[in-house]
Amino acid sequence: LQCRYTGRRSRHFVSSHESRAAHDLFATIVHTRRWFALVVIMTVILGIDPGSRKTGFGVIRVERNQAQYVSSGTIRLPVKEALGARLRVLFESLSEIIDTYQPTVASIESVFMAKSADSALKLGHARGAAMVACVTNDLEVHEYAARQIKQSVVGTGAANKQQVQHMVTALLGLSAEPAEDAADGLAAALCHCHTQGLAGALAASRFRAGRLR
């Protein structure tokens, strides 16, 4: 069998170099799609209820349309020290929490009408320190009003602390109610979860339009 080389390459012929390039491109696309799918199906949210004396936080993971409890607690600030020292403790504590649980999104309660101008100012400083801790660690920050958080979790913007604790416990399937400030932090995280439509299964199973049952 004799073959004569004509000097022209068939349009169906692919060189080994082109084959490797195509293989690398395909591998990159597959890796990117898998990474994107992972981002879509799993989100870690840090909820923050800021305060100049104590700050509540809650971390939840939303995976395959289900919200799961990760951690929560209260950051107690040294109230006998100057405000600047308290803000430093808040910043460093939240930075440590972010480093530990690796959230990608932060949900922070926005300023509401405080009892006095001084209280509102201190609360604003605490929120600022919390937000700086989040953005410094590359978190996407969302703000929600206290009434919006309560409405989203309980079904009424006038809900009290006990109702928020009860609904957070029920929605996340906890064995015991978290402390008030920790529950507020978890509620902030759940509010973002519900607002962004990240937990459809949660809404279908135990959460009907934010109604307390």
Side-chain angles (χ1 to χ4, degrees), residues 45-50 94 105-111 126-135 140-146 149 185 188-189 192:
I45 307 171
L46 170 62
I48 302 173
D49 176 36
L94 284 175
V105 181
S107 175
I108 302 181
E109 184 176 309
S110 60
V111 174
R127 289 186 68 259
M131 293 183 72
V132 170
C134 292
V135 298
E140 180 183 330
V141 179
H142 296 263
E143 300 177 72
Y144 298 98
I149 293 174
H192 177 73

Side-chain angles (χ1 to χ4, degrees), residues 2-34:
Q2 294 182 344
C3 295
R4 184 174 61 180
Y5 177 63
T6 62
R8 292 179 298 178
R9 187 175 63 180
S10 169
R11 59 192 179 93
H12 299 294
F13 176 80
V14 179
S15 68
S16 60
H17 176 73
E18 291 173 332
S19 178
R20 286 195 300 271
H23 179 272
D24 292 343
L25 177 60
F26 178 76
T28 301
I29 292 173
V30 170
H31 174 75
T32 303
R33 289 180 64 183
R34 287 176 179 173

Side-chain angles (χ1 to χ4, degrees), residues 24-69:
D24 292 343
L25 177 60
F26 178 76
T28 301
I29 292 173
V30 170
H31 174 75
T32 303
R33 289 180 64 183
R34 287 176 179 173
W35 176 85
F36 180 74
L38 179 63
V39 172
V40 169
I41 65 175
M42 186 176 71
T43 303
V44 179
I45 307 171
L46 170 62
I48 302 173
D49 176 36
S52 60
R53 291 177 172 269
K54 53 184 179 179
T55 290
F57 74 91
V59 183
I60 64 172
R61 179 175 59 249
V62 183
E63 186 173 2
R64 299 188 183 280
N65 284 333
Q66 292 203 4
Q68 303 172 5
Y69 174 85

Side-chain angles (χ1 to χ4, degrees), residues 4-213:
R4 184 174 61 180
Y5 177 63
T6 62
R8 292 179 298 178
R9 187 175 63 180
S10 169
R11 59 192 179 93
H12 299 294
F13 176 80
V14 179
S15 68
S16 60
H17 176 73
E18 291 173 332
S19 178
R20 286 195 300 271
H23 179 272
D24 292 343
L25 177 60
F26 178 76
T28 301
I29 292 173
V30 170
H31 174 75
T32 303
R33 289 180 64 183
R34 287 176 179 173
W35 176 85
F36 180 74
L38 179 63
V39 172
V40 169
I41 65 175
M42 186 176 71
T43 303
V44 179
I45 307 171
L46 170 62
I48 302 173
D49 176 36
S52 60
R53 291 177 172 269
K54 53 184 179 179
T55 290
F57 74 91
V59 183
I60 64 172
R61 179 175 59 249
V62 183
E63 186 173 2
R64 299 188 183 280
N65 284 333
Q66 292 203 4
Q68 303 172 5
Y69 174 85
V70 176
S71 181
S72 64
T74 302
I75 302 171
R76 300 188 181 279
L77 306 179
V79 294
K80 293 184 179 181
E81 296 188 21
L83 180 61
R86 281 185 265 169
L87 296 179
R88 177 178 179 178
V89 171
L90 177 57
F91 174 86
E92 292 177 346
S93 299
L94 284 175
S95 295
E96 183 177 349
I97 292 168
I98 293 169
D99 183 62
T100 300
Y101 299 107
Q102 296 293 306
T104 55
V105 181
S107 175
I108 302 181
E109 184 176 309
S110 60
V111 174
F112 60 93
M113 294 300 293
K115 295 180 180 179
S116 66
D118 183 64
S119 297
L121 188 60
K122 289 180 179 178
L123 177 59
H125 288 319
R127 289 186 68 259
M131 293 183 72
V132 170
C134 292
V135 298
T136 300
N137 289 278
D138 299 323
L139 269 67
E140 180 183 330
V141 179
H142 296 263
E143 300 177 72
Y144 298 98
R147 290 187 64 87
Q148 184 179 359
I149 293 174
K150 293 176 182 179
Q151 176 71 38
S152 176
V153 174
V154 181
T156 171
N160 58 38
K161 294 280 189 180
Q162 289 71 34
Q163 288 175 309
V164 172
Q165 286 176 289
H166 175 77
M167 282 304 297
V168 165
T169 302
L171 292 174
L172 294 174
L174 304 180
S175 58
E177 289 188 351
E180 288 185 357
D181 296 293
D184 288 341
L186 289 168
L190 286 169
C191 175
H192 177 73
C193 173
H194 179 235
T195 301
Q196 299 297 318
L198 294 174
L202 184 66
S205 59
R206 291 173 294 183
F207 189 54
R208 301 290 181 85
R211 294 177 183 173
L212 179 63
R213 295 190 294 178

